[in-house]
Amino acid sequence: MEGKTILLKEFLNLFSNFRALRLLALNLALLLATSLSISSQEIDISKGKSLFNANCASCHKLNKKLIGPALKGVSSKYEKEWLYSWIKNSAALIKSGDDQAVAIYEEYDKVAMNSFPQLSNEDMDNILEYTDYTPPAAIASSAGNSSNVNQSSSSSFTNDLVLVLLLLVLAVLVTMLFLVTKTLKRLASDKGIEINEKKSSGTPIWERFIKNQFLVFVSVILLLLSSAYFAYGYFMQIGVDQGYMPVQPIHYSHKIHAGENEIECQYCHSSARISKHSGIPSLNVCMNCHENIADYNGEEDLEKGYTKDFYTNEIKKLYKAVGWDETTLSYTGDTEPVKWVRIHNLPDFVYFNHSQHVTVAGIECQKCHGPVEEMEILYQYSPLTMGWCINCHRESNIKVKDNDYYTKIHEELSKKYGVEELTAAQMGGLECGKCHY
Amino acid sequence: MKKLTFYSLMIVFSLMTLSCFDNSKPNYQFFPNMYESVGYSTYEQSDAFANGIEAQLPAEGSIPRGWVPYEYEDTNEGYELAKNNLMSPLKLSEKNIKKGKELYNIYCAVCHGPKGDGQGILMKREKFLGIPSYYDRDITEGSIYHVLMYGKNLMGSHAGQVNSNERWQISQYVISLREKLIK
């Protein structure tokens, strides 16, 4: 601002007095110099930020305790030389019996900080500059955010308004039409013209229909066939839960975890590799990441109400269930089970084994579970009926590569059937006893 | 008039059938006692146990099949000891490294990156920060196993997801990644 007013003044001077030109040049040079110095400071901070993110952020946050203390304004708490030696090799400093060092070590439960011999003093200066730096633009950016929110909510509001207006117009048109026909009829009756209301002389249409026996016969058959079709459809879907999408106690979005963050399915469902069940992850698996990630900062879907606050609140539900105290970053031991609702549930007279399909056959999870990585709320993608199982067994070839167990039987059976590659059905995937016993 | 009642009946009927269709509830079952047996199924809610869950912790002191005792403690000293003394019982082999790679890509690559340079997708999306490259860390097979067992700093324990044999296979693969990075 000041620079601008100065510039403005200079321009005024310029017009009033031509000699001021030299002064202007001087001022410009000064301005340039200050702006340069600012940008070099910014470079330091951005360097510091990237160094901080690469080296420190795994254990330190700026404003919050993590594994180690919050680092905002750390350079004012300790001397610079001491900080240098601490960062370079904290263990050595603790061993030397430095009071400050030992105090910190004790305070943070004797967690050893990694040593960073690769950082130069300049690097550390940059990092410290970053930790001291308070971004001035914070207010502006938050204001920008709120205006964005207003915009989107107002757009849905205008949509509603347009719809209501259209409905109103439609209603007006309908009433107008009624009025027009009314006046026309009145006019006609005034002039003595008779209007032919649909009074067809003779027998009504349904009586004529009943008299036509062929028509009755055909329509009865059609009616029977179509009702049989619908009845069949209804009975066939009994016990089939395709599309089942229950509300879970914690809104866990597969779209965010498996889709946007590309976490492998088996990271959480780790027993799918080795057991019958794919497994509901125990909450310690959630906490592998969510010790660190306490807030949601990703995209929002305002239309469906999936705001940042909504997701953050779901993470809080996890903390409550697992008994994690966010302020002290420790477990309270006060846990409660999460009552997840089971979606995929085969009847008890069917045996199904995940490891056989995941590890031995090497089938992608999506083959049966559908595009889970796009599902905000998980639903059952496949019908899980016997016909569906058998179809796949008939169509898919078995994976023999790297599986010595199959080599011999594959050789013999492929000779027997005279084929190059065996399907799961030819390996016995259609035998009743494989799945029902 | 008849037509009007017919149409309104049709509309009411279709609305009723639509309202009966609810995604958040499971479908009807034909003979449900064949679908749901008397035995407890996995993760079932059950009154048989005090806390109402079928999935119980094993009795105290029980040892799972194939379990290998681990003597190093979850302390800084334990880490140093494991780093210097703990040796892999597995032989270095192509097969182990291949299996290790498979497991690494499931359990580790999301943070540590497929190359082990700390550039996993969670790091790139700034969900996690400061994940070190294996290049910068002085690690041995023993220390990798120890960290997989107990976790370190923000990394949690992965002992529940991979068993001891698999942990050794991952360690082998991580060492091979580090060698590639150092080259």
Side-chain angles (χ1 to χ4, degrees):
Chain A
M1 261 324 266
E2 252 177 275
K4 268 188 189 168
T5 50
I6 290 169
L7 262 181
L8 202 70
K9 272 183 193 165
E10 292 307 332
F11 271 114
L12 287 174
N13 276 342
L14 184 69
F15 285 116
S16 61
N17 190 350
F18 219 72
R19 273 185 302 172
L21 197 64
R22 224 207 291 173
L23 202 70
L24 176 72
L26 198 77
N27 254 324
L28 273 177
L30 255 173
L31 267 174
L32 201 70
T34 50
S35 71
L36 263 181
S37 75
I38 285 169
S39 66
S40 78
Q41 195 197 356
E42 271 171 3
I43 287 170
D44 282 352
I45 288 167
S46 72
K47 261 189 201 164
K49 186 182 178 184
S50 63
L51 280 168
F52 180 87
N53 283 350
N55 294 300
C56 320
S58 62
C59 297
H60 296 280
K61 281 187 177 173
L62 283 180
N63 295 314
K64 215 172 150 189
K65 180 187 158 189
L66 199 60
I67 301 292
L71 288 187
K72 186 108 217 164
V74 69
S75 65
S76 56
K77 280 185 212 153
Y78 303 100
E79 280 168 38
K80 220 161 205 184
E81 285 305 318
W82 184 86
L83 278 172
Y84 286 159
S85 51
W86 171 265
I87 296 169
K88 278 205 166 143
N89 196 346
S90 66
L93 202 62
I94 293 162
K95 256 188 195 163
S96 75
D98 185 284
D99 286 344
Q100 273 181 333
V102 173
I104 294 176
Y105 185 60
E106 295 287 336
E107 191 187 339
Y108 284 89
D109 292 336
K110 300 189 175 178
V111 175
M113 176 167 147
N114 284 314
S115 44
F116 294 92
Q118 73 266 31
L119 294 178
S120 67
N121 283 4
E122 200 190 337
D123 288 339
M124 285 187 264
D125 280 338
N126 287 340
I127 292 174
L128 292 175
E129 193 131 2
Y130 170 66
T131 57
D132 289 342
Y133 173 71
T134 322
I139 303 156
S141 73
S142 73
N145 276 344
S146 66
S147 76
N148 263 345
V149 169
N150 280 340
Q151 214 171 29
S152 53
S153 65
S154 77
S155 81
S156 72
F157 176 70
T158 49
N159 271 349
D160 287 350
L161 202 72
V162 166
L163 272 176
V164 167
L165 278 177
L166 278 175
L167 273 177
L168 275 177
V169 167
L170 203 74
V172 167
L173 277 176
V174 167
T175 46
M176 271 169 72
L177 267 174
F178 266 111
L179 289 175
V180 165
T181 45
K182 213 177 166 188
T183 41
L184 276 177
K185 270 181 191 169
R186 210 183 55 211
L187 275 177
S189 65
D190 282 352
K191 284 190 178 171
I193 304 166
E194 248 187 50
I195 306 156
N196 269 353
E197 295 278 347
K198 280 177 201 162
K199 282 173 196 162
S200 52
S201 54
T203 49
I205 189 157
W206 59 272
E207 246 171 66
R208 275 190 282 170
F209 171 73
I210 283 173
K211 275 175 193 162
N212 187 340
Q213 280 192 341
F214 175 72
L215 210 60
V216 170
F217 181 71
V218 167
S219 47
V220 162
I221 287 206
L222 270 178
L223 198 75
L224 280 176
L225 276 178
S226 59
S227 50
Y229 173 79
F230 284 113
Y232 178 80
Y234 175 75
F235 286 124
M236 286 311 280
Q237 58 85 45
I238 286 178
V240 176
D241 285 320
Q242 195 168 17
Y244 177 35
M245 189 195 259
V247 180
Q248 301 287 359
I250 295 177
H251 180 93
Y252 173 88
S253 168
H254 278 87
K255 190 177 154 204
I256 292 172
H257 291 85
E260 289 166 23
N261 288 322
E262 294 173 27
I263 300 169
E264 286 284 333
C265 309
Q266 290 181 48
Y267 185 91
C268 305
H269 300 287
S270 55
S271 53
R273 270 185 311 122
I274 40 170
S275 91
K276 185 182 165 198
H277 290 281
S278 70
I280 304 294
S282 50
L283 296 184
N284 73 307
V285 177
C286 308
M287 294 305 285
N288 273 354
C289 293
H290 282 289
E291 264 187 34
N292 182 34
I293 303 168
D295 315 287
Y296 179 76
N297 287 314
E299 284 167 29
E300 297 181 308
D301 188 347
L302 293 173
E303 249 169 61
K304 287 177 184 157
Y306 299 141
T307 57
K308 282 180 187 173
D309 284 343
F310 171 80
Y311 283 122
T312 304
N313 193 34
E314 297 302 309
I315 299 176
K316 303 286 177 267
K317 282 188 196 167
L318 162 69
Y319 287 165
K320 186 159 177 275
V322 78
W324 174 254
D325 189 335
E326 259 189 282
T327 47
T328 59
L329 297 175
S330 59
Y331 290 101
T332 58
D334 190 13
T335 59
E336 52 187 65
V338 183
K339 293 184 179 177
W340 300 109
V341 182
R342 184 168 180 173
I343 300 175
H344 300 82
N345 199 356
L346 286 174
D348 258 13
F349 50 78
V350 190
Y351 173 81
F352 175 83
N353 192 319
H354 268 95
S355 64
Q356 175 70 20
H357 291 83
V358 174
T359 308
V360 181
I363 294 173
E364 291 273 309
C365 309
Q366 281 84 349
K367 173 113 185 175
C368 303
H369 292 287
V372 173
E373 69 280 2
E374 291 163 14
M375 295 180 192
E376 179 67 39
I377 303 171
L378 194 86
Y379 60 87
Q380 182 175 324
Y381 172 81
S382 303
L384 301 187
T385 56
M386 183 168 139
W388 170 82
C389 292
I390 282 183
N391 245 0
C392 193
H393 282 183
R394 284 203 176 114
E395 283 163 7
S396 26
N397 291 327
I398 54 161
K399 197 184 115 194
V400 247
K401 208 183 154 227
D402 301 329
N403 193 343
D404 301 337
Y405 189 77
Y406 278 170
T407 326
K408 198 179 162 209
I409 193 163
H410 187 267
E411 228 169 74
E412 286 173 7
L413 279 176
S414 53
K415 222 181 267 170
K416 183 182 163 194
Y417 288 110
V419 285
E420 284 279 302
E421 283 185 77
L422 285 173
T423 61
Q426 284 163 330
M427 275 281 277
L430 295 190
E431 278 166 29
C432 309
K434 280 263 153 74
C435 313
H436 304 288
Y437 51 84
Chain B
M1 203 56 209
K2 260 187 181 171
K3 253 186 188 169
L4 199 72
T5 46
F6 176 73
Y7 281 130
S8 52
L9 269 178
M10 280 296 280
I11 287 167
V12 167
F13 178 73
S14 54
L15 276 178
M16 270 167 69
T17 46
L18 271 179
S19 62
C20 282
F21 184 70
D22 185 357
N23 262 342
S24 64
K25 297 223 165 58
N27 205 346
Y28 304 104
Q29 285 174 341
F30 183 63
F31 282 115
N33 49 1
M34 276 190 78
Y35 280 71
E36 284 153 33
S37 70
V38 189
Y40 303 119
S41 56
T42 322
Y43 302 123
E44 192 182 70
Q45 196 171 346
S46 154
D47 299 332
F49 304 99
N51 58 359
I53 319 171
E54 185 271 343
Q56 296 289 304
L57 288 173
E60 213 170 301
S62 51
I63 292 171
R65 195 178 282 252
W67 180 77
V68 182
Y70 189 69
E71 286 155 355
Y72 299 91
E73 281 174 37
D74 184 16
T75 55
N76 293 331
E77 293 79 37
Y79 175 80
E80 290 299 328
L81 278 174
K83 184 174 163 184
N84 296 326
N85 302 328
L86 187 59
M87 297 302 237
S88 170
L90 299 187
K91 273 185 194 161
L92 190 68
S93 74
E94 276 295 304
K95 203 179 165 189
N96 282 335
I97 287 190
K98 203 182 155 209
K99 184 75 191 160
K101 182 181 180 180
E102 234 170 71
L103 293 165
Y104 178 90
N105 285 335
I106 293 172
Y107 297 106
C108 320
V110 72
C111 285
H112 290 281
K115 288 182 195 147
D117 51 2
Q119 297 297 316
I121 177 112
L122 290 183
M123 172 84 169
K124 282 184 185 156
R125 288 173 56 88
E126 300 194 354
K127 307 288 171 202
F128 271 87
L129 293 169
I131 294 159
S133 165
Y134 294 136
Y135 177 84
D136 292 330
R137 289 280 181 275
D138 181 24
I139 46 176
T140 65
E141 270 196 322
S143 76
I144 297 164
Y145 184 92
H146 185 88
V147 169
L148 270 169
M149 183 81 190
Y150 291 124
K152 190 166 195 283
N153 293 342
L154 262 191
M155 177 175 154
S157 160
H158 285 64
Q161 284 141 291
V162 281
N163 66 27
S164 109
N165 202 37
E166 291 165 337
R167 288 198 283 276
W168 282 120
Q169 286 166 331
I170 292 176
S171 310
Q172 263 188 22
Y173 181 64
V174 169
I175 290 292
S176 78
L177 278 179
R178 183 162 188 264
E179 277 164 5
K180 267 182 218 158
L181 284 172
I182 288 170
K183 254 179 215 170

